[in-house]
């Protein structure tokens, strides 16, 4: 469906582990808006490339994979966890693996891949509104959106949050390893030439290091619905 330019877009950009995903879910449920999880599109591109034996540095083939993604995001109710389907296969668990995130960050460096995913992302702009979670929502994908947030937190705090999440899932990981991975991913996401991770000039930056999820949610809601 073509985008609806009347639909408001709330952009939530920031590095991995800044709380974007959680805040996006909560705020979208609260407002009754839909969600664009743009990272999932880069993750799906990486998974589809592996399925099709395309190397993660073969730019033109990867762009073709990205353009041809046959995927859907299925949820039974707003706020419920989504099932992500790729060519009829449920890839929800694989999508969230650290290795998938790392591969996504590699394919996301390539300008042709980013260009191939651009319109697909813009098509998510539909009434009553969209919460768009990513790295370049406010800078590239929805530069005219009226609500832009940049969430950040120290690398140490993000590594600790990730550690707690993975521990709860029964995964055996070390904080020091997670911290190294986060720093490497930040460097790649911020250092790339195409749409690097950075706050839009008109974004409001919130450092979530010392805040609870509820406190961040309150600040973001104030932006969309000023009292
Ligand atoms: O948000 P995430 O962890 O699912 O994103 C995975 C990778 O995809 C991230 O390291 C960089 C890339 N990405 C991007 O380049 N642009 C976006 N809008 C979203 C994600």
């Amino acid at each position: 469906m073509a985008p609806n330019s009347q639909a408001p877009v709330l952009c939530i950009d920031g590095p991995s582990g800044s709380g974007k995903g959680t805040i996006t879910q909560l705020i979208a449920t609260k407002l009754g808006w839909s969600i664009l999880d743009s990272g999932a599109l880069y993750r799906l591109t990486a998974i589809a490339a592996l399925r099709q034996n395309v190397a993660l540095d073969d730019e033109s083939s990867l762009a073709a994979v990205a353009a041809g993604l046959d995927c859907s995001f299925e949820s039974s109710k707003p706020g419920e966890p989504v099932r992500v389907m790729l060519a009829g296969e449920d890839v929800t668990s694989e999508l969230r693996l650290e290795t998938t995130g790392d591969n996504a960050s590699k394919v996301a460096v390539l300008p042709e891949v980013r260009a191939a995913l651009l319109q697909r992302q813009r098509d998510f702009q539909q009434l009553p509104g969209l919460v768009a979670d990513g790295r370049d929502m406010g800078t590239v994908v929805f530069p005219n959106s009226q609500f832009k947030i940049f969430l950040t937190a120290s690398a140490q705090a993000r590594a600790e949050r990730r550690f707690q999440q993975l521990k709860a899932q029964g995964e055996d990981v070390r904080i020091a390893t997670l911290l190294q991975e986060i720093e490497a991913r930040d460097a790649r996401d911020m250092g790339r030439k195409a749409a690097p991770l950075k706050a839009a000039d008109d974004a409001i930056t919130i450092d979530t290091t010392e805040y609870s999820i509820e406190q961040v949610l309150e600040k973001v809601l104030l932006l969309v619905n000023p009292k």
Side-chain angles (χ1 to χ4, degrees), residues 17-83:
S18 55
K20 282 177 305 149
T22 310
I23 291 294
T24 297
Q25 285 281 345
L26 290 170
I27 200 138
T29 307
K30 200 131 196 150
L31 298 171
W33 291 6
S34 54
I35 289 176
L36 164 60
D37 174 1
S38 60
L41 295 175
Y42 291 94
R43 287 170 183 260
L44 284 166
T45 302
I47 295 176
L50 293 180
R51 297 279 196 281
Q52 295 169 39
N53 289 318
V54 170
L56 296 181
D57 58 357
D58 177 350
E59 182 164 5
S60 53
S61 305
L62 285 168
V65 170
L69 278 182
D70 168 18
C71 60
S72 61
F73 300 85
E74 299 173 4
S75 70
S76 33
K77 278 196 229 123
E80 297 265 300
V82 254
R83 269 192 338 144

Side-chain angles (χ1 to χ4, degrees), residues 38-39 42-43 105 108 114 135-137 185 189 192:
S38 60
Y42 291 94
R43 287 170 183 260
S105 160
R114 305 198 70 85
R135 304 289 190 294
D136 61 343
M137 300 296 99
R185 181 110 72 94
D189 292 348
R192 68 178 178 227

